[in-house]
Amino acid sequence: MEEHSKLQPEFRGLVLLASVGFFMQALDTTIIFTALPAIAHSLNENPLDIHGVVIGYILAVAAGIPISGWLADKYGLKKVYFLSILIFTLASLGCGLSQTLDQLIFFRILQGLGGALLMPVARLALLKVIPKGQFISAISTMNISGLIGPLIGPALGGWLLKAATWHWIFWVNIPIGLIGMIFTLKVMPNVIEKNVNRFDLSGFLLIACAMIGIVLGIEQITNVSHSINMIVFCLGVACIAIALYIFHANANPDALFRAHLFRNRTFTIGILGNLFARLGGNSLPFLLPLMLQVAFKIEPYIAGLMMTPLVLGSLFSKSIIRPIMQRLGYRRFLIINSLLVGLCIVSFTFTHLDTPIWFKAIHFFVFGVLNSLQFVAMNALTLSELSVEESSPGNSFLSMIMMLSMSIGIAMSGTILNLFTDHYGVGNTVHAFHSTLVCMGVINIITALIFSKLKKKV
């Protein structure tokens, strides 16, 4: 049994290729956070107003997830994976060449569409090609690259700003992408499914409209160039799209996500919990580097390095999650940990310029541990009671909600930050950041009520 669990040499190239795609996607999600103030200065924009660069990418990833598996089945793993790396690489080139904020957001959205295919298609390739006995070893190896990306992303972004310019945080993807495309042609088999169901285009468009409407509606609250009517329109379109999709999911047997999926109480609570509990946790990698640079005037490289303990805390949590869950169970753990994560977010209001570096490092590490424990437990809970037939659409829907929550969290925190900046004045940005952190922490604390609805035995 042990021999079968080891990854055989003939599959190592494929696993390495999947790891390259996962690394690119994971790195690009975090490397930009440290660079936002420098990008804003270069493009003559307010650093507090350019979170659309992050949101556009994440929202495009979320929107592209539902179509990734269908494209791979229809047109083949090799073609779709090569196309995804090509789009990602060309978009990275375009990001670095952008002269305005609108151009940068456009190429970030294009980059996100390429990134949306990288991770799901890579995982699907391993699932279809590698024997079952070696799959765990293969997926574990690939996941390491996904952990390395966020670990080095903020620090690498800061170093590139110091050694070169912000353009290189995008151009660094170009050589990686070229290597990935060559590897794809050599080692990726073009597995194509013979019988592929018709793609649910109408359902896909409704879901995309709902996600875009929610995020744009939230983001434009503080945009003086848009009236209240525009905000109401965006949120109204989102509500109508959600209502239409509910009807569509009940009536269409080929819907992307069938209505019966949500009759599972544990799955539904898990999805709602993921959506709201991730708002605060996902906003901090955006808020903290911005606060360190804009409010405390810390240089980008140091700000990036200071985010490393957060990722190290996330890595450390992997070793303690199992015994904690066995002792407490999902319900009790998620209630307690939701409160702890929320309180930890609020506690960042005690961070000031003169706070010792060692204390900040411990603080970030603790948050990384708590936040990662929350994410792992929520993911496991959400999928725990699904049948074999429901596991694939359930996992895709969960992945989409995770990315949607990240984009909403960044849009919401950016909007709240701008509101408090207007309230306190430009000279009191520290108070604006601290008040925003309190609001995001309180959202996490309230989320504990969602998990309290779980069955007591869970």
Side-chain angles (χ1 to χ4, degrees), residues 306 308-317 348 359-371:
M306 289 174 66
T308 303
L310 193 152
V311 185
L312 292 176
S314 176
L315 295 175
F316 173 76
S317 70
F348 280 106
F359 183 83
K360 289 176 182 174
I362 294 174
H363 199 175
F364 286 16
F365 180 84
V366 170
F367 175 74
V369 172
L370 293 174
N371 206 39

Side-chain angles (χ1 to χ4, degrees), residues 104-127:
L104 181 56
I105 291 175
F106 169 79
F107 283 112
R108 282 288 283 174
I109 292 172
L110 191 61
Q111 194 182 40
L113 292 174
L117 302 178
L118 282 173
M119 173 68 177
V121 176
R123 189 189 291 118
L124 190 61
L126 299 187
L127 187 62

Side-chain angles (χ1 to χ4, degrees), residues 217-412:
I218 294 171
E219 189 186 12
Q220 292 178 8
I221 289 174
T222 55
N223 193 331
V224 293
S225 64
H226 294 106
S227 66
I228 188 68
N229 293 333
M230 185 65 179
I231 298 167
V232 172
F233 173 77
C234 289
L235 296 177
V237 166
C239 292
I240 293 171
I242 292 171
L244 289 174
Y245 186 81
I246 292 172
F247 174 79
H248 173 79
N250 277 291
N252 189 344
D254 295 323
L256 277 173
F257 308 109
R258 295 294 312 280
H260 68 81
L261 195 62
F262 303 95
R263 297 192 186 111
N264 185 311
R265 179 182 175 85
T266 300
F267 177 79
T268 303
I269 293 175
I271 288 295
L272 288 173
N274 264 283
L275 179 61
F276 289 100
R278 290 176 179 271
L279 295 178
N282 283 328
S283 68
L284 255 63
F286 161 72
L287 282 174
L288 292 179
L290 204 59
M291 182 174 73
L292 293 173
Q293 294 179 74
V294 174
F296 300 149
K297 309 302 179 185
I298 294 174
E299 63 175 285
Y301 179 58
I302 302 300
L305 282 177
M306 289 174 66
M307 299 301 294
T308 303
L310 193 152
V311 185
L312 292 176
S314 176
L315 295 175
F316 173 76
S317 70
K318 311 298 182 188
S319 63
I320 62 174
I321 180 67
R322 182 171 294 183
I324 293 176
M325 290 304 304
Q326 288 175 342
R327 183 174 180 83
L328 296 178
Y330 286 120
R331 183 179 183 274
R332 200 189 319 174
F333 171 77
L334 286 170
I335 291 172
I336 294 171
N337 204 64
S338 296
L339 297 172
L340 291 176
V341 171
L343 291 172
C344 194
I345 293 173
V346 172
S347 71
F348 280 106
T349 58
F350 298 112
T351 300
H352 295 276
L353 180 59
D354 56 355
T355 303
I357 291 290
W358 64 266
F359 183 83
K360 289 176 182 174
I362 294 174
H363 199 175
F364 286 16
F365 180 84
V366 170
F367 175 74
V369 172
L370 293 174
N371 206 39
S372 180
L373 289 173
Q374 183 83 5
F375 290 174
V376 172
M378 289 190 303
N379 292 353
L381 165 77
T382 305
L383 304 176
S384 62
E385 295 184 4
L386 295 183
S387 65
V388 176
E389 294 77 15
E390 295 170 332
S391 59
S392 180
N395 185 56
S396 294
F397 191 79
L398 173 60
S399 299
M400 187 181 71
I401 289 296
M402 287 161 56
M403 300 306 294
L404 175 62
S405 179
M406 185 183 294
S407 59
I408 293 176
I410 294 172
M412 184 179 292

Side-chain angles (χ1 to χ4, degrees), residues 18-69:
S19 299
V20 169
F22 196 6
F23 174 79
M24 288 176 66
Q25 204 270 345
L27 177 69
D28 227 68
T29 305
T30 58
I31 194 174
I32 194 171
F33 289 130
T34 314
L36 287 175
I39 293 173
H41 178 74
S42 175
L43 299 179
N44 297 314
E45 298 284 346
N46 186 333
L48 306 183
D49 291 335
I50 68 162
H51 47 277
V53 174
V54 181
I55 294 168
Y57 174 82
I58 298 170
L59 197 56
V61 172
I65 286 173
I67 200 173
S68 59

